[in-house]
Amino acid sequence: MPLRRLLVSIIFTVLSCNSHATVLLHNIAGYHVSDKELLEFTAIAYDEGVVQATDSLTELKKRFPQAKLLDGGGRTLIPGLIDAHGHMLGLGRLQQQLELRDLGLDQTLAAIRARSAELQPGQWLLGRGWNQVVWPGKEFPTRQQLDALEIDNPVWLSRIDGHAGWANSQALELAGITRDTRSPEGGEIILDEQGEPTGVLIDNAMNLMANAIPAPTLADDKASLEAAFRIALSLGLTGVHDAGVARQGLKAYRELAAENRIPLRMYPMVAIESKDIEALLSEGWIGQADERLFVRSIKLSADGALGSRGAALIEPYHDRPDERGLLLHPEKEMLDLLRLATDKAFQVNVHAIGDRANHIVLNHLETLHKSKDQKPFRHRVEHAQVLKPADIPRFPRLDLIASMQPTHATSDMNMAADRVGEQRLEGAYAWRKFLEQGTRIAGGSDFPVEPVNPLYGIHAAVTRQNRANQPNGGWRMKDAMTREEALRAFTLDAAYASHQESVIGNLMPGKYADFVLLDRDIFKVPAEQIWEARVLETWVEGERVYQAQD
């Protein structure tokens, strides 16, 4: 047992004999999950930030007669929610950038023009969230559309999935991208019929633009993280797995931890694409499972995304027969990087969206397992989005975790069949198939690709509908989750995926008192209303860290 947990346990044992420090929160509709079932309670006792018991008020008053009573006002209490795949720096930085989510093309161009009026000439205009799939014609945008705005700013706008970007001519010039620039391996500079760059860069080609944009400072990154912390807590997140952090981001985390300025549980994954990855991994893990900052995993991206046709497919795209997507690393290089991480005792979390990428990743993990038992690592496939049905049963052989984002299904349902055809959808967003074979699903959102709110994810998991509750009856409902399974994905199984299930994930005695109070009972309201639930309070280790304002 880690030293801090041992000390807390000793204090807890001593105080349990004289429970003057115990808080008994009652008049609640409480829910959490064990490995086997959904558990309900109407009161919870906690002491020094650690859960002592959940039961009825009558029973807990017998056990803790001197406890301080706290009335929950009839609200619903669930464990603190955990997002197993988000991007905290991306979320924090977006607060200073132009967000384009859900805007049509004309609205997007108008928003860019308006933002330019707030900037100095020559200052970069950065944004994120455009999605050509919801525009008329569904075609990628062009630099000419941005140039026509006649603004004096280099413009760089990331697609909603973060796997493509859109630039104006000024930005392309600053990045040195011309008709003679070759696409890098694992990326594409899209060209028009005349052989000129259109302004859209896919996956690894985006690095050409990133190198031209002034990099954030360490202070910038710390400020971005703190902005993201506040947003996460306001939405009931008490833990986040940050999916890919380079050296400076890790330094920002470490400094914030040393300054006691991390108010929730962060599990950053070391970005394997970092140039100094071997040195980073040689420094070893950071923190322990019971600390606010715990680093013991890496993030590697095998392919791109479905919406930008960068996901690596075995057969061609249904709507683009000459394309099969992109592998972001050659197969041997990918295996070498995974071996390096496991040799350094790091869990590997691999982004794989297309069926080819998933097949290759599973092959590599099986190859590593032949030389060393990989099961204790709890390796994860991030997204596991489109698979050959025959590859899904390979997950339990290595005790792999499927780290999946339910809102991806409800965002992608308007284009998934266009991209892969109906037949390949049998292995896509296939939550029920994973659950029935005993595979744990770690629930997440992939914010800021999707909204941060984890209740949106629980709603999507159960209904397979968007927040307009469309389509009627849900999309491919045979792979939906139950409410209990959805809560488990965003609590206990997400904690398991970060090797933290002994300290968080549910409200069993001895675990930290991380919990959320909601304005409605998500187990009793109609399923289509789950996403409307509002977080009223968020508590971490028995301390209220967020309270909604009326």
Side-chain angles (χ1 to χ4, degrees), residues 115-436:
R115 182 54 178 262
S116 177
E118 303 170 4
L119 304 176
Q120 296 297 317
Q123 185 177 354
W124 280 86
L125 193 161
L126 304 175
R128 178 170 184 157
W130 60 270
N131 183 4
Q132 85 285 359
V133 171
V134 300
W135 297 344
K138 301 184 179 182
E139 295 297 329
F140 276 131
T142 67
R143 60 183 169 84
Q144 287 89 348
Q145 290 164 316
L146 297 175
D147 294 346
L149 298 175
E150 297 183 341
I151 59 179
D152 189 14
N153 303 94
V155 178
W156 176 240
L157 308 165
S158 295
R159 190 180 182 278
I160 190 168
D161 57 16
H163 286 269
W166 174 24
N168 65 357
S169 293
Q170 189 175 344
L172 291 173
E173 183 178 352
L174 290 171
I177 298 173
T178 70
R179 64 180 298 132
D180 298 320
T181 306
R182 296 183 61 184
S183 294
E185 187 168 4
E188 182 183 2
I189 301 170
I190 295 185
L191 304 177
D192 62 22
E193 292 180 356
Q194 289 73 44
E196 296 289 343
T198 65
V200 173
L201 311 179
I202 307 292
D203 287 314
N204 286 350
M206 298 172 69
N207 296 333
L208 302 174
M209 187 61 65
N211 293 334
I213 299 171
T217 65
L218 178 62
D220 291 336
D221 281 353
K222 291 172 71 174
S224 292
L225 287 174
E226 290 197 291
F229 295 159
R230 291 190 291 271
I231 294 169
L233 290 171
S234 74
L235 295 169
L237 288 171
T238 60
V240 175
H241 304 175
D242 197 340
V245 182
R247 179 176 287 278
Q248 181 170 291
L250 289 171
K251 186 175 182 181
Y253 270 116
R254 297 185 83 156
E255 289 193 5
L256 289 171
E259 297 159 5
N260 196 29
R261 290 163 59 192
I262 300 182
L264 69 166
R265 306 187 190 286
M266 294 306 308
Y267 188 72
M269 310 172 194
V270 181
I272 201 84
E273 289 81 5
S274 302
K275 294 179 181 179
D276 55 351
I277 185 61
E278 186 165 5
L280 273 174
L281 297 182
S282 295
E283 294 173 10
W285 299 358
I286 300 170
Q288 300 183 77
D290 61 345
E291 298 182 39
R292 298 289 176 92
L293 179 63
F294 185 34
V295 181
R296 57 159 296 169
S297 69
I298 63 98
K299 162 74 180 307
L300 182 148
S301 291
D303 65 344
L306 203 61
S308 50
R309 297 190 186 86
L313 302 181
I314 295 171
E315 300 296 329
Y317 275 86
H318 183 69
D319 57 355
R320 197 66 63 83
D322 57 339
E323 295 184 18
R324 296 174 186 259
L326 300 166
L327 286 178
L328 303 189
H329 300 272
E331 289 190 48
K332 183 181 183 305
E333 178 183 302
M334 194 187 307
L335 178 59
D336 290 342
L337 289 168
L338 296 177
R339 181 176 284 114
L340 170 66
T342 55
D343 286 347
K344 300 291 185 181
F346 277 72
Q347 174 194 43
V348 301
N349 307 320
V350 189
H351 163 121
I353 288 183
D355 52 11
R356 183 182 178 212
N358 276 282
H359 186 75
I360 290 169
V361 169
L362 292 170
N363 287 347
H364 286 342
L365 293 175
E366 288 194 352
T367 296
L368 293 175
H369 184 68
K370 291 176 182 177
S371 57
K372 179 181 179 180
D373 182 9
Q374 299 295 308
K375 292 184 178 182
F377 287 105
R378 303 181 186 177
H379 295 320
R380 300 160 45 161
V381 179
E382 304 297 314
H383 310 306
Q385 198 161 303
V386 181
L387 289 89
K388 293 172 56 180
D391 274 338
I392 294 175
R394 299 173 69 183
F395 275 70
R397 296 178 203 166
L398 293 176
D399 287 344
L400 300 178
I401 295 165
S403 175
M404 306 175 85
Q405 301 75 44
T407 51
H408 277 343
T410 53
S411 293
D412 291 356
M413 63 186 178
N414 64 346
M415 61 85 181
D418 292 343
R419 292 289 187 271
V420 301
E422 289 293 335
Q423 184 174 356
R424 275 181 284 187
L425 287 179
E426 283 302 308
Y429 316 92
W431 314 323
R432 172 59 45 205
K433 296 178 181 66
F434 283 101
L435 291 169
E436 287 181 349

Side-chain angles (χ1 to χ4, degrees), residues 9 12 55 79 102 108 126 187 195 199 201 236 290 365 399 419 445 464:
S9 179
F12 164 73
D55 208 323
D102 298 329
T108 296
L126 304 175
L201 311 179
D290 61 345
L365 293 175
D399 287 344
R419 292 289 187 271
S445 67
R464 290 180 74 101

Side-chain angles (χ1 to χ4, degrees), residues 91 93 100 292 304 377 514 534:
L91 175 63
R93 290 169 183 163
L100 302 169
R292 298 289 176 92
F377 287 105
D514 296 356
R534 182 179 176 220

